[in-house]
Structures are given as C-alpha cells and as structure tokens.
Amino acid sequence: MKKNIFYLLVASVLVGFSSCEKAVTSIEAASSAAIEQTLAIADSVQTFSVTPSATTETDRMRFRGNHNEMQATGFYAAPNSVVTIKTTVKSGTTPIRLAIGTPFRDNVRPVRQYFNLQEGTQSFTIDQYGGLVYIIYTANNYSSTGQVEITFGDGFVAVPYFQKGKTSQSQWQETLNALKDDVPDVVFSSDHTIMVANMEKALLYQNEDQNLIVDRLDAIIDFSNKISGLSGNSGVHAVPYNKHLITVRDAASGGYMAAGIAIYYTESLSYRLLQPLYLSNVNGWGMWHEVGHTYQQNAWTWTGMTETTVNVYSLASERGFGLSPSRITTNNSWHKLDTYLQKPVVDRNFNQGDVELKLIMFHQLQLAFGDEVFIQLSRSTRENRPNVSTDEEKMRYFMLTVAQVTQKNLSDFFRKWGFKVNQSVYDELDAFGFPAPDQDLTTLRD
C-alpha cells in the first residue's frame, strides 16, 4: 500500500496532484473492500424487511409471553460516540427504529437506547453505555410489507459476525484475532437464532466447529417447532418469523433464563454454547429448557405448571439429539411416581406434586401417543383460540383436548394422576364415547 502511494506521488509531478489524489482514494477504497471480503464482518449496506411484531407473533401462536423482534446488524456503537446512518425506503410505510444495546447483556443500563429512523442521512449520539446495534422494523399484522436499505456510516464499529452458510472457520479465526481489541462482543446469526458471546470466550473456543454451533442452535429451535406443530412460512402454524435472541450476561456465575425479549446464559456457561458437543448432549438441557419457555402456550399452562410444561420441549430436544433413555430415567425420577401411586386416589393432587413428578404425566402421554399428542394439542390451541383464564378452565381445556386428539377416554388416567376438577369435566370425557386405552397409561416407563 505505501509503495503504491509513493509511486503515485512521483507520478503526480507529471499528471498533476488531482489525478494522484483520485488514485490514492481508489486504492484505499479497494483496500477497504478487500478487508470486508476477507473478514467475517457485516456489509456496510444492508437490506431489511418488515417482520411481525413480538406481540403479533405471541397472539398468533398463543404463547405465554413475547420474544425477540430485533434484527441483528453486526455492528457495535461505542459509548458516547456519534453514529451516522442513511435510510433508503424501498417500499412500504412501516416505521423503522435503531436499537442500541442487547437485553440482559447490557444489564447495567436502565433501558436500551432507541432512535426513529427517517428517510435520508442522520446522526445520533450514543449514551454512556453503547452496545450492539439492532434494527426494529415490525408491524402489528401479517399483511404489511416493506423493505428498507440501511447504510451504516461513521461511528459504527464492525464486530466478528458469524453468518451461517457464509462464514468459514478460517475466516472466523482471522476476524477474531483482527478485531479482538476493538469490540467486546461477537455475534452469530443462523436461520432461527441470533447469539451474542463475549470476545474473550469466543477467542478461547475459536478452534471449535463454528458451523456446527449454529447448526445445533437451529436444531434446538427446530425440535421445539416440530413438537409445537409449527412448519412452513405462512398461516397460523408458520414457524416464528423472528429469530430467537440468545445472549451472554456479564455475571460470572449463575445459569440460564428466558424472560421477555431474550434468553440469557451467564458467562460461566459460555463453554456450553461455544462448544457444539455441549449443545447436543445432556449439558444442553439448560438451553433446551429456556427455548422451551418461549414456546409454552397459555391455555394449558396453569398455576404451578410453568416449570413443568416447559420440559415437553426440553424432552423433544433430548429425543431429537438421539439421547435415550429420557432424563426422567437417568435422574432416577420414576420412584417418585411409584411413591405417589401408593396413596389412595382420593388423596392424590396432581398440582401439589414437584416439577419432576408432574413432568412424568406429560411424558407418559408422549410414550403412549408419540409427539403427535402435543403437536395436535398445540395446533388446536392456535386454531380454536380458547378463552380460558382460571386454573379450572385450563385444566378442563387440557383434559378435553388431549382426549379429542388421542380419541381415547382418559378419565381413568387423569383420576389416577389426581386431577382435581369438577365432576362435570369427567362427565364430558365420558360423553365423548371414546374407548379406554388398551393399557393403564400410568404404568408406562422408558
């Protein structure tokens, strides 16, 4: 580069300073473009399309809570810096916002920083926290369409950005080492996820198969989609339109959590996210579990069931990764059922059992009827949109819907499990006229 510039300066004596200046600028631009092609970083010009808002998605899928609606950019904004951005609306009228900061990752800040983007070039001053940069471009419906081109200008700092199907292992390692002193975080983008990790841990595990990491993150989402009866990209049963946001949290110790806008894992658990082995063996349960929380449907998650129905999805991931027998067996939990069934039926109360005991009931339904029982339960919930709010209403909905899905009279099963509901619910089960199962489902084990 310096040698080329030297020759151009000599040439300027003959052809004039203006020509030399243009040549230098051209070389510098070419050099910058070459760096962008070599390193695993985001393009400075990106196109974004409208997606449904988190609340719209939650309503469609009848989930208990919202999840992420932000789109990754691959850029970072430093604290107290000024950033310049150009917005070019290609189509549509949906408002666009810039968001600074990652939920949970930036847990020192009171709230993320948001800027409304207008057509054209504009500049913004970043607060004292800074953070990763996201685009929010959502509509509260499925009919709005739109596309916008964003040019990230001065002030935006590229982060190592692993994009599934695009970034190579060697390119990732080169990028990490080139940018390790420039930014605190790295970003992974797969078909279904955005994952944020801190630079220190990304460097530590840079020799792991990064492609396998994003593949397994997608697999976890796929397993939850499948048992939820979600497939395709249109209609009430389409897979979620927005990606799951998974981020590291600063705390050195702790665990996982799914709450509102993101899933977090604490820094001490980075080894389980940045080594593919731990995403697909028994150590993956924590992440499978947190993803499961984002799929729970309100209609059949009554009081005391939040940490139980979630593991319908955890067990689906366990089976999906080919792990057998189930966690219930490997944790030696079946004895809890044996003890429970020794009680007189009248003294049994399902809702008073611990999390592991209650999970066995759901697992026995899967053992008896396969994944289809939860696939059809979930699909029916989206299609029929039951208006249930009390525990009694939710238990009734669950009992009747599972009976309709399986075409079996499950009165005996629910009675033995201690479902304390009004007798009228059992009368409704009997009124369906379905035959009883061929065997006592409470005896099923894996």
Side-chain angles (χ1 to χ4, degrees):
M1 179 70 177
K2 291 180 179 178
K3 185 176 181 181
N4 289 334
I5 293 175
F6 171 78
Y7 285 136
L8 284 167
L9 290 171
V10 173
S12 69
V13 175
L14 300 175
V15 300
F17 178 76
S18 178
S19 297
C20 175
E21 185 177 42
K22 291 179 181 178
V24 171
T25 301
S26 176
I27 290 173
E28 289 177 340
S31 176
S32 177
I35 289 174
E36 286 195 13
Q37 292 174 2
T38 301
L39 298 182
I41 58 177
D43 295 331
S44 58
V45 180
Q46 300 178 37
T47 300
F48 298 88
S49 297
V50 171
T51 66
S53 66
T55 55
T56 299
E57 285 282 79
T58 295
D59 180 68
R60 169 176 71 90
M61 292 181 282
R62 313 311 295 158
F63 287 162
R64 294 182 65 246
N66 296 340
H67 196 56
N68 174 57
E69 62 183 6
M70 302 192 301
Q71 300 185 53
T73 68
F75 286 101
Y76 170 78
N80 303 309
S81 63
V82 176
V83 297
T84 300
I85 192 167
K86 179 183 178 183
T87 305
T88 305
V89 177
K90 298 295 187 181
S91 62
T93 59
T94 302
I96 312 120
R97 286 195 296 165
L98 191 70
I100 309 298
T102 304
F104 299 121
R105 173 62 175 135
D106 304 312
N107 58 338
V108 295
R109 70 192 313 149
V111 66
R112 283 170 299 286
Q113 193 174 18
Y114 299 98
F115 300 106
N116 295 322
L117 299 183
Q118 307 297 326
E119 179 85 20
T121 301
Q122 55 237 272
S123 296
F124 303 105
T125 300
I126 304 303
D127 61 19
Q128 69 267 38
Y129 302 106
L132 290 173
V133 178
Y134 302 88
I135 292 292
I136 300 176
Y137 190 30
T138 62
N140 291 322
N141 58 66
Y142 291 95
S143 58
S144 295
T145 58
Q147 195 172 75
V148 62
E149 181 182 272
I150 301 290
T151 302
F152 297 92
D154 292 344
F156 290 102
V157 183
V159 304
Y161 191 35
F162 192 97
Q163 298 179 73
K164 182 177 178 178
K166 180 179 179 179
T167 307
S168 69
Q169 182 80 15
S170 59
Q171 189 179 27
W172 181 245
Q173 292 172 319
E174 181 181 351
T175 306
L176 287 176
N177 287 286
L179 303 181
K180 62 185 178 183
D181 297 323
D182 297 342
V183 290
D185 294 334
V186 306
V187 178
F188 295 81
S189 178
S190 68
D191 296 335
H192 301 309
T193 69
I194 300 164
M195 184 171 74
V196 176
N198 67 23
M199 177 65 77
E200 178 188 359
K201 299 299 184 183
L203 284 164
L204 181 62
Y205 298 111
Q206 64 177 296
N207 293 323
E208 294 290 332
D209 188 335
Q210 310 295 312
N211 283 293
L212 195 53
I213 291 173
V214 292
D215 283 346
R216 289 186 176 170
L217 288 173
D218 278 342
I220 294 168
I221 306 301
D222 284 335
F223 297 142
S224 285
N225 283 337
K226 180 182 177 183
I227 202 162
S228 299
L230 295 166
S231 63
N233 54 18
S234 64
V236 69
H237 302 305
V239 300
Y241 288 90
N242 296 313
K243 294 184 179 183
H244 282 69
L245 177 58
I246 302 168
T247 180
V248 67
R249 186 171 182 173
D250 268 340
S253 62
Y256 306 93
M257 182 175 169
I261 200 169
I263 294 170
Y264 77 68
Y265 61 96
T266 48
E267 187 178 330
S268 62
L269 292 174
S270 295
Y271 76 97
R272 293 188 182 180
L273 277 297
L274 298 177
Q275 296 182 96
L277 170 67
Y278 294 107
L279 286 168
S280 59
N281 69 10
V282 294
N283 291 286
W285 183 272
M287 186 49 57
W288 310 339
H289 176 96
E290 300 310 330
V291 167
H293 274 306
T294 71
Y295 282 85
Q296 285 176 291
Q297 291 183 308
N298 185 60
W300 48 284
T301 302
W302 56 92
T303 301
M305 299 301 293
T306 302
E307 293 301 326
T308 296
T309 60
V310 61
N311 287 328
V312 166
Y313 310 95
S314 311
L315 288 171
S317 286
E318 182 181 65
R319 292 191 298 275
F321 283 121
L323 302 178
S324 181
S326 72
R327 186 181 182 90
I328 293 170
T329 296
T330 57
N331 279 4
N332 297 315
S333 297
W334 289 107
H335 73 89
K336 294 186 177 184
L337 176 60
D338 296 333
T339 301
Y340 182 67
L341 294 179
Q342 289 173 9
K343 295 180 179 181
V345 173
V346 70
D347 293 334
R348 300 174 196 170
N349 188 327
F350 177 77
N351 291 339
Q352 292 179 359
D354 67 23
V355 169
E356 287 186 323
L357 176 62
K358 289 184 290 190
L359 179 60
I360 291 174
M361 188 278 297
F362 290 93
H363 185 50
Q364 286 183 325
L365 287 173
Q366 194 279 331
L367 291 174
F369 305 110
D371 288 354
E372 201 65 20
V373 64
F374 295 111
I375 291 172
Q376 295 306 323
L377 170 62
S378 301
R379 291 175 68 90
S380 178
T381 302
R382 287 191 293 275
E383 291 169 359
N384 297 319
R385 301 173 65 87
N387 183 20
V388 293
S389 58
T390 68
D391 289 346
E392 177 84 9
E393 290 170 340
K394 292 180 180 183
M395 292 179 72
R396 173 182 176 273
Y397 172 75
F398 173 77
M399 295 167 72
L400 296 183
T401 306
V402 170
Q404 290 172 314
V405 164
T406 62
Q407 298 284 288
K408 296 294 183 182
N409 188 333
L410 299 176
S411 291
D412 182 65
F413 177 69
F414 290 129
R415 286 187 190 279
K416 287 183 175 179
W417 265 106
F419 272 57
K420 301 294 188 184
V421 295
N422 192 286
Q423 176 60 38
S424 63
V425 179
Y426 286 102
D427 293 341
E428 288 182 271
L429 288 174
D430 293 337
F432 285 142
F434 298 141
D438 296 333
Q439 59 182 318
D440 181 353
L441 303 188
T442 64
T443 65
L444 294 178
R445 307 283 191 277
D446 63 7

